[in-house]
Amino acid sequence: MNIFKILALGCTISVFLSFSSTQAAEWNYEQELQQGCGKLKQYARLGKQYYDQKQYAKALTQFEDQAAWSHFCQINAEESGVNVTDREIEIANNNVGLTYAKLSKPLWARAWFLRNPDSKMSQFNLSQLPKMQQSTSLAGTYVAKNGFGQWDTITVKKLKNAYQIEFEGYYFGLRGLIYGPNLGSFEVEMPLNQKHAVYHYEDCQIDLTFASHPQQGQQIVVEEQQNTSGCGFGHNVSASGTYLKVEAK
């Protein structure tokens, strides 16, 4: 009987500790969410301050935080207590794009403006960028937009006889900016004289096609076959999409 009481007591303590840990994690999340959302005006103010001072690298850090948290706080408005409009997200994204333009990185600027392609603000800023310079080399960094101001990335490196292609992708849940995303990655090689690659792994097949768009420049169109459970990606991670070239190698 005494043994039963001790075991029962131990079970009660274990359940209590588990419940307390859950409460603590929830409280920490809400605290971090509210603190992050409470800094939105600060990110915008400091970004503009550095931008006006022509300290563009410092401005970029602030504006990228503004863009990420603006979207995150909008999605989690009930818990954060902060209401963010679509217009404010457009402004944040364009702030990043304008800063990249000042840093002489028009490809990155274009990608950020295209996060809101139907925005008149984005369309105007796109019209101010220099004309696309077409390159014959496929090597470089390509990105496709993800949630909360983040990007999925494909890196293409030119080797002696082939291009090495590396994909890194994410899935951000509702709390992903704080808890972190699910991850997925793969690597594949493509002959130098080709513009199409296929990644195979178990029942996973992913097609990558290199193309050129007159307004958007070099890009990679990625298509997954219907059954991608064998790709080994984290939950809800997908490689599908159009990736814009933002850096040359």
Side-chain angles (χ1 to χ4, degrees), residues 191-233:
L192 294 178
N193 63 347
Q194 298 294 315
K195 291 188 176 181
H196 179 254
V198 180
Y199 171 74
H200 286 286
Y201 179 75
E202 295 183 354
D203 62 345
C204 169
Q205 178 176 322
I206 301 175
D207 292 274
L208 302 93
T209 303
F210 288 77
S212 182
H213 188 280
Q215 281 79 44
Q216 299 178 6
Q218 288 178 294
Q219 55 187 226
I220 306 173
V221 179
V222 181
E223 296 179 338
E224 297 177 353
Q225 298 301 313
Q226 289 184 351
N227 185 6
T228 57
S229 60
C231 293
F233 297 164

Side-chain angles (χ1 to χ4, degrees), residues 97-98 100-102 104-114 122-132 215:
L98 289 169
Y100 268 117
K102 289 294 187 180
S104 299
K105 295 185 177 182
L107 298 181
W108 264 116
R110 188 179 306 276
W112 274 94
F113 295 150
L114 286 171
S122 296
Q123 292 170 1
F124 174 79
N125 287 330
L126 282 166
S127 71
Q128 303 304 301
L129 292 175
K131 291 184 178 181
M132 298 295 301
Q215 281 79 44

